[in-house]
Amino acid sequence: MSRFLSEVHDPRALDPEAPDPGRGPLGVLLINLGTPDAPTPAAVRRYLGEFLSDPRVVELPAALWQVILRLFVLTRRPAAVAPKYAQVWLDRGSPLLVHSQDLADAVAASLRDRGLDVRVGLAMRYGRPVLADALDALRAAGCGRILAVPMYPQYAASTTATAVDAVNAHLARLRHQPTLRFLDRFPTADAYVDALHRAVRAHWEQAGKPDRLLLSFHGLPQQSVRQGDPYFRDCHQTARALRARLGADGDRLHVAFQSRFGAAPWLQPYTQPTLESWGREGVGTVDLMCPGFLADCLETLEEIDMGCREAFLKAGGRAFRYIPCLNADPDWARDFAALIADNLAGWT
């Protein structure tokens, strides 16, 4: 059996005058993390089994980790997590998938408005839409040049690098590979930081300024950063860029890290303990946004807007105000499309 995937037979393959199959429309593949197909223990178990089996995500010896995963994590965690998904599930499905697809559609429309012949696809690194299928769909549409865009402004091996791994692993099985580029990070890109700034200012114009603004980024084990992961630096670059945009109000901005998993120390300060400490100190109003997430999901809607809200108010805080992710905001979609177009330069 060939190690390469079989291609559809092309009767023009031996015709020297046939058009170049690599000069069709440009392809853009947006890649987000993933989500269960449904807010049920069975669906969560399938998703977590794939997600937590990635050695980029859990850097333990596979033989040891798979025993822990199969005997302990997957027998308990899905039943505990499924009701949390149910609390945030939308009529159209998972919030992460709904908002990601809406953003992909808006980006595609904006790129077309710029006069570009582009096909935009959406994939999840884990679960569906399956990444390999999305790549094949772009190739079937004639895209011989593809820009892959992991939807993580800040680079981390457990998010960006594993998306790059998956794209390259699928292409490694092809006889005729498309030309490939990656937009692997954009922590200080004007389009992105301006969108964050607009979101904050719009919220303040409606609700007034808070005592403090907390940027909560997804956490990462400290050991990963010590071993060379640039994520911590990227997060603080985003925070510094937004602080500069805010001018005199930048002093309100603070940084913390959420979603710790396991016993090892993760990046600090941790989000919920920070909020609880502020509540006890008498900090009255806190605004919180999660700039590392381009689309609202379980970690923003349930962990932050529900769990952290409750913790802050119980600790003595007066008001907790969550600023939603950028999602498919029209101005952001337009600016994101412009950033993508810049990375298509030379192909257009």
Side-chain angles (χ1 to χ4, degrees):
M1 180 181 295
S2 172
R3 58 175 294 211
F4 300 109
L5 295 175
S6 297
E7 302 283 349
V8 175
H9 176 65
D10 184 353
R12 302 171 300 172
L14 297 178
D15 179 0
E17 303 301 324
D20 181 356
R23 305 305 297 179
L26 304 179
V28 174
L29 182 62
L30 302 182
I31 307 169
N32 216 327
L33 187 77
T35 175
D37 292 327
T40 63
V44 172
R45 185 176 298 109
R46 287 192 298 272
Y47 168 69
L48 290 180
E50 182 182 3
F51 171 49
L52 296 177
S53 291
D54 187 342
R56 289 279 198 185
V57 174
V58 180
E59 297 186 43
L60 291 175
L64 170 64
W65 172 240
Q66 283 298 316
V67 172
I68 298 172
L69 178 64
R70 303 296 166 181
L71 293 184
F72 300 100
V73 178
L74 295 182
T75 58
R76 302 173 183 175
R77 191 166 179 80
V81 173
K84 297 181 179 182
Y85 274 106
Q87 286 184 289
V88 302
W89 211 256
L90 303 175
D91 291 342
R92 291 169 55 198
S94 162
L96 180 74
L97 179 57
V98 169
H99 294 309
S100 296
Q101 186 63 64
D102 286 349
L103 178 58
D105 293 342
V107 165
S110 184
L111 290 171
R112 288 194 297 269
D113 289 344
R114 299 172 71 92
L116 299 177
D117 185 12
V118 178
R119 306 293 184 270
V120 177
L122 174 68
M124 296 294 167
R125 174 61 185 88
Y126 316 100
R128 295 187 289 185
V130 177
L131 190 148
D133 293 346
L135 278 170
D136 287 343
L138 290 176
R139 294 173 59 240
C143 301
R145 295 162 293 174
I146 297 175
L147 172 67
V149 185
M151 296 172 70
Y152 318 111
Q154 299 78 27
Y155 181 104
S158 56
T159 53
T160 310
T162 189
V164 172
D165 288 347
V167 170
N168 286 323
H170 184 62
L171 266 55
R173 302 185 65 198
L174 303 180
R175 294 181 183 277
H176 187 183
Q177 297 175 329
T179 303
L180 186 64
R181 290 180 182 173
F182 290 96
L183 173 54
D184 68 349
R185 54 151 63 80
F186 45 96
T188 59
D190 287 341
Y192 166 62
V193 178
D194 286 348
L196 297 177
H197 182 236
R198 283 195 303 267
V200 172
R201 288 296 183 190
H203 173 73
W204 288 355
E205 286 176 8
Q206 180 180 19
K209 296 176 182 178
D211 296 315
R212 294 181 186 175
L213 168 65
L214 183 61
L215 304 188
S216 180
F217 294 91
H218 198 287
L220 200 69
Q222 290 182 8
Q223 184 65 15
S224 297
V225 176
R226 293 194 184 99
Q227 291 175 338
D229 200 300
Y231 179 73
F232 184 73
R233 182 185 65 237
D234 279 7
C235 292
H236 279 279
Q237 286 181 347
T238 296
R240 284 194 296 271
L242 180 56
R243 188 177 287 117
R245 292 286 203 287
L246 291 170
D249 290 319
D251 290 343
R252 303 174 192 270
L253 189 152
H254 301 261
V255 172
F257 297 89
Q258 65 183 85
S259 306
R260 179 185 176 189
F261 179 78
W266 281 38
L267 296 178
Q268 297 181 30
Y270 300 134
T271 297
Q272 182 167 320
T274 295
L275 291 166
E276 291 170 337
S277 175
W278 287 356
R280 291 191 295 269
E281 292 170 9
V283 177
T285 301
V286 168
D287 286 351
L288 191 148
M289 70 187 311
C290 299
F293 299 87
L294 292 187
D296 273 309
C297 55
L298 183 73
E299 287 80 4
T300 66
L301 299 172
E302 192 280 331
E303 180 182 355
I304 295 297
D305 197 23
M306 295 180 184
C308 286
R309 173 189 300 276
E310 181 181 5
F312 176 66
L313 297 178
K314 278 188 176 180
R318 184 177 68 253
F320 178 96
R321 307 183 309 197
Y322 173 64
I323 301 175
C325 292
L326 297 176
N327 294 321
D329 172 79
D331 290 335
W332 159 239
R334 182 196 63 237
D335 291 347
F336 194 24
L339 177 62
I340 288 170
D342 288 344
N343 282 268
L344 294 171
W347 280 353
T348 57

